[in-house]
Amino acid sequence: MTTPDTLWLTTSPELKFFNNALLRHLSRQTSIAQWEYHQKPDDPNSLTVAVTLLHDYLKTRKKPVNLIGHSIGGLLGLLYAQEHKERVKSLTLLSVGVNPGIDWHSHYYVQRKLLPCSREFILKHMVQTLFGYQNECTRQKLITMLDRDLNNSASPHSLYGHASIAPIPVSVPLLVCGCQDDVIVDPQQIQGWQNLVSNTTQQTSPTIRLWQCPQGGHFFHHFYPDTVAKEITKFWNLNYSHA
């Protein structure tokens, strides 16, 4: 069986629909597969298990792989690249700031603590924040998806505690993609990657590229898959030409 050159990391199985369009575009440029981590309700609120399971999968490969992840999927890629850089050809992060623990869950739980509102009310507000105005039918579907994601995602945040994750420098070719109108991971969080790399001496990434989509919000890769795919392909081509 042929092993893929690129691996998309998914830690939010309820939201993987928003990755499909970009995956289709990228599949025209590379052999790509999805690696999913399904966290069980009784599992500890940690990505350590996910990193171990990912390594169990990748350690049998003879060649390094391109890793891609959105939000906490990207955080998983970061943690893996930090521990096993020899197995990572490149790392592409979508909607992952220099403080990589920031995700829509963290915003949701902050609002739950500050506002005397129900879970459903705040989820309705999160749909507006993440996707803009939607008709009633679509809004209800999105509320259901976000509600399930709160229960099943590997996000490190919960109603009982907000996880603070320090910046994670890696020494693999790195592409960080954000969006100029993303209110979850704002442009300053994306730009902060440049400062992190500049201030890192021993672990400086050999290649770092920052790119921000003009619009599309937190799930910009869903709304503009062709544009995002072109930037990722451009990064790969640059990285391969320097290899």
Side-chain angles (χ1 to χ4, degrees):
M1 182 177 66
T2 303
T3 55
D5 294 322
T6 302
L7 204 60
W8 183 285
L9 304 178
T10 299
T11 58
S12 297
E14 304 295 342
L15 303 181
K16 62 182 181 180
F17 163 78
F18 299 107
N19 306 328
N20 291 343
L22 178 57
L23 284 169
R24 285 194 296 270
H25 280 80
L26 291 176
S27 67
R28 301 166 188 165
Q29 306 295 330
T30 181
S31 57
I32 188 168
Q34 293 190 72
W35 187 90
E36 296 183 18
Y37 175 64
H38 294 250
Q39 180 165 295
K40 300 176 182 178
D42 295 331
D43 287 341
N45 201 20
S46 170
L47 286 170
T48 302
V49 173
V51 171
T52 301
L53 292 174
L54 178 58
H55 185 56
D56 287 343
Y57 172 74
L58 289 178
K59 68 183 180 182
T60 61
R61 290 177 50 95
K62 295 181 179 180
K63 296 181 180 180
V65 65
N66 298 307
L67 295 181
I68 307 178
H70 174 265
S71 190
I72 300 303
L75 172 57
L76 171 59
L78 267 174
L79 294 171
Y80 186 82
Q82 186 183 48
E83 292 189 21
H84 305 287
K85 64 180 181 179
E86 72 283 356
R87 300 194 177 276
V88 181
K89 188 172 187 178
S90 73
L91 176 62
T92 297
L93 306 178
L94 307 175
S95 297
V96 180
V98 69
N99 299 106
I102 296 176
D103 65 349
W104 83 263
H105 288 236
S106 60
H107 282 245
Y108 166 83
Y109 288 118
V110 167
Q111 292 183 59
R112 279 297 302 272
K113 289 185 176 182
L114 293 178
L115 302 176
C117 302
S118 67
R119 175 171 172 138
E120 183 176 1
F121 180 89
I122 295 179
L123 284 175
K124 183 177 180 180
H125 176 70
M126 288 303 306
V127 167
Q128 176 74 26
T129 299
L130 293 169
F131 303 102
Y133 173 79
Q134 303 291 330
N135 61 51
E136 182 61 25
C137 180
T138 302
R139 181 164 61 244
Q140 288 302 320
K141 290 180 180 179
L142 290 170
I143 288 174
T144 299
M145 293 173 72
L146 295 183
D147 184 63
R148 291 175 177 172
D149 190 56
L150 283 174
N151 295 331
N152 300 320
S153 170
S155 174
H157 312 291
S158 71
L159 191 58
Y160 302 102
H162 182 282
S164 179
I165 301 177
I168 302 173
V170 292
S171 54
V172 301
L174 179 65
L175 170 65
V176 182
C177 299
C179 186
Q180 293 177 8
D181 64 357
D182 184 356
V183 298
I184 304 298
V185 180
D186 61 51
Q188 289 185 343
Q189 278 289 319
I190 301 299
Q191 196 59 41
W193 278 104
Q194 190 67 60
N195 297 330
L196 175 65
V197 171
S198 298
N199 294 332
T200 303
T201 56
Q202 299 300 319
Q203 293 180 301
T204 301
S205 172
T207 303
I208 180 170
R209 180 177 174 85
L210 306 182
W211 176 79
Q212 297 198 50
C213 193
Q215 56 186 2
H218 193 57
F219 294 93
F220 63 94
H221 64 297
H222 167 70
F223 296 103
Y224 299 96
D226 180 58
T227 303
V228 178
K230 288 178 180 177
E231 289 298 325
I232 294 174
T233 302
K234 186 188 303 182
F235 168 70
W236 285 340
N237 292 337
L238 176 64
N239 181 37
Y240 299 162
S241 68
H242 290 170

